[in-house]
Amino acid sequence: MKTEVGLIGKGVWGKNIRNNLLKIANLKFVIGKNNNFLSEIKKNNIKWIFIATPNITHYSIVKKCLEKGLNVFCE
């Protein structure tokens, strides 16, 4: 059974990570950094979040995800 994951980031690295996640995981959503990712996380009951946003946004996104108890991969 594949792990349910989400991806935040639709840029170059987001696309690369997306392509790989499609092979190894159940990718529930891909959203941009400006979307409400917390509602997507809650709605999809994921275990892992992959973050491929600009470096300046990493801290706030990672902090919120860790507070929700998610496993985080940050590019």
Side-chain angles (χ1 to χ4, degrees), residues 6-7 10 13-14 20-21 23 26 33 63 65 67:
L7 171 62
K10 292 182 172 182
W13 276 107
N20 288 307
L21 287 175
K23 297 173 190 173
N26 184 10
K33 66 178 172 30
K63 182 179 178 190
C65 291
E67 288 172 346

Side-chain angles (χ1 to χ4, degrees), residues 27-74:
L27 184 59
K28 301 296 279 185
F29 64 85
V30 179
I31 59 173
K33 66 178 172 30
N34 295 323
N35 294 90
N36 187 353
F37 62 90
L38 293 175
S39 67
E40 289 294 325
I41 289 168
K42 184 177 180 182
K43 180 171 61 175
N44 289 292
N45 193 32
I46 62 166
K47 304 296 181 217
W48 277 89
I49 189 77
F50 288 74
I51 300 167
T53 58
N55 291 342
I56 196 160
T57 65
H58 287 174
Y59 177 80
S60 62
I61 295 171
V62 170
K63 182 179 178 190
K64 290 175 184 175
C65 291
L66 289 174
E67 288 172 346
K68 296 290 182 187
L70 294 172
N71 298 298
V72 175
F73 173 91
C74 184

